[in-house]
Structure formats: structure tokens, C-alpha cells
Amino acid sequence: MTDRYILALDQGTTSSRAIVFDHSGRVVSVSQKEFRQIYPHPGWVEHDPREMWSTQAGVAAEAVVQSGVSTASIAAIGITNQRETTIVWDRDTGEPVHNAIVWQDRRTAGLCNELKARGLETTVREKTGLPIDAYFSATKIRWILDHVDGARAKAAQGKLAFGTVDSWLIWNLSGRRLHVTDATNASRTMLFNIHTLQWDDALLALFDIPRSMLPEVRQSSQVYADTQTSLFNATIPLAGVAGDQHAALFGQMCTGAGMVKNTYGTGCFLVMNTGEQPIESRNNLVTTIAWQIGNQVTYALEGSIFIAGALVQWLRDELGIIRHARDIEALARSVEHTDGVTIVPAFAGLGAPHWNANARGAVFGITRGTQAGHLARAALEAIAYQSIDVVRAMEADAGLRIGELRVDGGAVENDLLMQIQADLLGVDVVRPQIQETTALGAAYLAGLAVGYWNDIAELRQQWHMDRRFVRHARAEDVERGLAAWHRAIRAAKAWADAAS
């Protein structure tokens, strides 16, 4: 297998990426291209599905060319994707009927509030593991059917297809023949029963969505089809799919119950492997499918934080206090502490464990002496504090204390952020040598399906640590900071409640 490779497609929130991996899990080549973020109204976020596909197709071809290997040497393609983002397209023309509605989009928060007021949250959570929230796909599909001219009539005739981003990519890679998804992405729609592993008719009726729109649900690691596209001069098996956070959990080799990873991207996503049994959260976390390999389903607890790296982008793009995202570390190091400044980055509401759609961002503790460095350091602390809230909720649900936190994502290059996280969390934060863990997880799932790797035990041997961050801060300083953080959270919620 040393002369064969795996191609991973990583379709994220802001860019499309493609990575070629060799048999040791080493990155051979990378290609990446950003695409437009569309904001039609405050709180609305859209992508152009055509641009998502064209950029993903472009970087896939480019990564193979850059690798210097032939298409015939690509053993399989694995796909990982931003989750919950909703695309509806015409089965006959293959054209989207509307822009993709992105996971961050809050346009259906009112509908979600209506459903919760009807007392439906318990029913939905028991079946799907999810709270009723605009974050997930179901109400986004409903919105498209209700607001796009002719969409509901076409859907009733079986002419429309719904898919999360993985389904859209597979549809195009397979020559518009295959309409499928995997269990991880299905589990994020608010339409999939994670216990029966089936689309739920009662939920489809609740959201008024025809079953004919839905893709077939497959395992996370199996051969779906061969490519039928002019991108490559040979066919390649499409063999592994997982939503980005599930793929990152697998790429981090968090394959034992109780292992936890945190991905620091646009948002923060903490996921705990809970083994073969789903754990019902009593602390506002999400119960989800980690992956399905063969007949074995592995479950997880997840806490989704909406704003993490996006907070750094805000400091760069809107406030202009840094020129590049990487500059935040040096700016934050220019001061020893935040001087009492606390940022609550609720730009799109608060995710886990608060799930407050009305909350908005706030900055507390500003004085005449507040400097850019204080804001930069407070931003890094806000990312870490949000993660602590989720970890503590996970520990309460699972009835255990985590031993370490494995980390990945673009922000883990920031040593100061990682140290702050270790200081505030009180457990070791471990950064792997190969940090492309999301794409690597998709590659692993695809490779297992075609026998490129033998089993998970072989994959575990490939995981190696880059650096371990341990706590240096004094416990009393940490407790004081946590108290200020939770006071700021309460204040941000109160401000939002007073306005509603």
C-alpha cells in the first residue's frame, strides 16, 4: 500500500480543502480555496452550493496534481463536511432551488420557539438526541419549502432532494446518480432516530417534510460508489463519510469511551466518545452518533460553541486591531492579564450548554485604561471559558472526570490559547503531530472500507503527540476568572431577556 494514497475532501464553513494522505497518515499535498459568505439579513448565513461544489472539485483535482501521484494510485476518497448546513436541489436539473442555509443561520429561531412552546422538545430530544434549535437541518428544510416558489409542490411530487453538504458532494461526484448520507450527518438533521437508525415518520410529519426528499443513510465507512466525473482520469471509490466533528474525533483516535477532543475552528466543538450506548444529556448537550462502522454504532456527547475562531476574525475584520488572525497571540502576550475585561462572544446566540438563541455578544469591564492587548487576551480566554462550560457538562452527564483534552483545528497553533485552556480546565491539553485530524478521520474511514488499513488498532499506532500543555495557573486565580465569566454570561442573558 506504500504506493497508494487516500484523498480526503474537507468541505468546511469558509473554505473547501483537499488533502492527499499516504499510508502512514502523513500529508502529501494540500489544496484549499475559500468561498463567499452570504449574509442576506442579520442572523442569516448562506452559501452558494454551486460555488461549494466548484471550489471542492477544483481543490480535489489540484491536490492530486500537486501530490505528483496518478489518479490510479488513489485508493479511495473520504468526505468530511460542515454539518447541518441544508441544501435542497431539483432531481431533474441537479440545480439548487435556494442557497445553502448554513448551520450558523438563525432565521428559523421563531419556529423553534413555537415548537418548544407546544411542549415538543422532550419528544424530539428522546428520538434524535438534539434540542429543538435553528442550528439543525429540519427547520431549514421547512423554511425552503415554505418560502421558495413552487418548492413544496415539487417536493410533494418527489422532484426535490435534500442533503447536508456530504450528500451534495456525493451527488455531484457520482454523476448525479447517488443520493446518500451517512449516519453521523443524518443524526444532525433533527429528523433521524438515533436509536432505530431510521428517518422518523412522526418527525417528518411534525416538520411537514416529505420522506421522498431524504437521502438513503449508509455507514460511515463503506464503499458507496465509484466516481463518475471528469475531474479524474480514473474512477475512485467513494468510501468514507463523516461530519467534520465526528471525523475529527476519529482522526484523533478517541476510540475509547470517555475520550474527548476539542476542535477550535469557526466555532468550538467538543465531543466525548460514550461507547456503544447513547447517554441522554441532562445538561443541555447533544447526544449524537460518533460513527457507524459495520453493524457497530458508536455514540458521543457533543457541545457546540458557535463562536470561537470567528471571534478572532471579528477583532481582525470589524475592529481592525490585528492584521492577521495569527497576530492575536503576540498582542495577547503584550499584557499579563485582561485587566478585568470579559468578552461574551454570543454573536449568533449561545450554544451548549446554554442554548439561548436571543443572547448577543457583550464586552464587560472596559475602563479608560483598556488596551487592544486586553481585548485580545479576553478573546482567547472567552474561547477557553466556553469550552470549560461544555467539558463540565459532559463530565456531569457521563459521571466521570476526563483525563486529558485532545485538541485540533487552526487555533491550536496558538500556544497561548492552549496554555490558557490547560490553566483554566485543570487537565492536560494534548496537541497531536498531525493536526489535520478532520480530514485524516475521513481518510481513515475511507481507507478502512477498502482495506487500505487493516483495523483501528493499526490506526492508533499512527497517532503521536506534538506537545502537552499542563496547568501552571493558581487555583484561586482560575476560580476568580470563572466567577467573572459566569457573571458575564448571566448579564448577557439578562440583557437579551429584557429586550424580548
Side-chain angles (χ1 to χ4, degrees), residues 130-456:
L130 310 176
I132 294 177
D133 194 85
Y135 177 35
F136 306 108
S137 307
T139 58
K140 301 180 194 297
I141 304 170
R142 168 76 174 268
W143 189 94
I144 290 174
L145 293 179
D146 288 345
H147 290 83
V148 174
D149 287 345
R152 188 163 288 285
K154 278 192 172 183
Q157 297 166 7
K159 294 184 176 182
L160 295 187
F162 151 72
T164 42
V165 174
D166 58 307
S167 297
W168 174 242
L169 296 181
I170 293 171
W171 170 265
N172 285 285
L173 285 166
S174 66
R176 297 180 173 180
R177 294 182 302 111
L178 197 60
H179 184 209
V180 300
T181 189
D182 91 300
T184 69
N185 281 291
S187 74
R188 312 298 297 190
T189 61
M190 216 157 53
L191 298 170
F192 189 71
N193 190 313
I194 63 172
H195 309 286
T196 66
L197 305 182
Q198 300 290 328
W199 297 117
D200 191 277
D201 287 327
L203 293 177
L204 290 170
L206 173 64
F207 291 103
D208 197 14
I209 296 170
R211 176 181 275 272
S212 62
M213 294 182 68
L214 303 181
E216 179 187 348
V217 181
R218 301 277 185 90
Q219 299 170 22
S220 307
S221 180
Q222 72 173 97
V223 176
Y224 303 125
D226 289 337
T227 56
Q228 298 290 329
T229 172
S230 59
L231 281 178
F232 310 111
N233 57 19
T235 60
I236 306 172
L238 297 166
V241 174
D244 51 11
Q245 305 314 317
H246 316 257
L249 188 72
F250 197 73
Q252 282 276 33
M253 283 291 101
C254 291
T255 54
M259 298 183 74
V260 183
K261 72 87 193 173
N262 191 8
T263 297
Y264 298 79
T266 303
C268 261
F269 300 90
L270 288 99
V271 187
M272 172 188 281
N273 183 329
T274 62
E276 298 179 10
Q277 298 298 322
I279 294 177
E280 182 180 352
S281 177
R282 302 186 183 281
N283 293 279
N284 291 322
L285 300 180
V286 165
T287 304
T288 194
I289 293 175
W291 51 75
Q292 182 183 4
I293 300 177
N295 294 322
Q296 181 60 60
V297 176
T298 298
Y299 290 91
L301 283 170
E302 178 179 331
S304 302
I305 296 165
F306 297 152
I307 301 296
L311 176 56
V312 178
Q313 293 169 345
W314 176 69
L315 295 178
R316 179 194 66 192
D317 299 337
E318 274 67 48
L319 296 193
I321 67 172
I322 52 175
R323 292 188 61 187
H324 306 285
R326 63 179 178 272
D327 297 340
I328 193 171
E329 181 172 1
L331 182 58
R333 287 187 184 276
S334 70
V335 296
E336 294 184 1
H337 49 72
T338 68
D339 197 29
V341 175
T342 301
I343 298 176
V344 178
F347 298 162
L350 289 169
H354 309 285
W355 291 108
N356 188 313
N358 297 319
R360 289 294 177 265
V363 183
F364 297 97
I366 293 176
T367 69
R368 181 62 181 81
T370 297
Q371 303 170 14
H374 297 130
L375 290 174
R377 197 173 189 100
L380 298 184
E381 288 192 359
I383 296 170
Y385 281 132
Q386 290 180 104
S387 299
I388 290 171
D389 287 348
V390 174
V391 169
R392 296 295 177 246
M394 283 181 172
E395 291 174 333
D397 280 337
L400 53 80
R401 284 276 291 176
I402 70 167
E404 66 179 22
L405 180 67
R406 293 189 175 186
V407 297
D408 54 74
V412 300
E413 292 292 338
N414 188 321
D415 287 349
L416 178 58
L417 173 59
M418 295 298 97
Q419 186 59 56
I420 289 172
Q421 189 71 85
D423 285 342
L424 298 180
L425 188 56
V427 300
D428 292 0
V429 171
V430 182
R431 185 170 64 196
Q433 285 183 5
I434 298 177
Q435 294 170 25
E436 299 286 359
T437 54
T438 302
L440 183 61
Y444 280 163
L445 290 167
L448 287 173
V450 297
Y452 185 76
W453 290 290
N454 293 320
D455 51 34
I456 291 175

Side-chain angles (χ1 to χ4, degrees), residues 474-490:
R474 297 185 307 171
E476 56 267 32
D477 292 337
V478 171
E479 291 304 316
R480 188 180 308 111
L482 279 169
W485 164 253
H486 290 131
R487 188 168 73 250
I489 287 285
R490 290 193 299 271

Side-chain angles (χ1 to χ4, degrees), residues 1 4-6 21-23 75 447-448 450-454 458:
M1 291 294 181
R4 305 202 72 195
Y5 304 85
I6 301 291
F21 291 96
D22 67 14
H23 195 260
L448 287 173
V450 297
Y452 185 76
W453 290 290
N454 293 320
E458 179 183 357

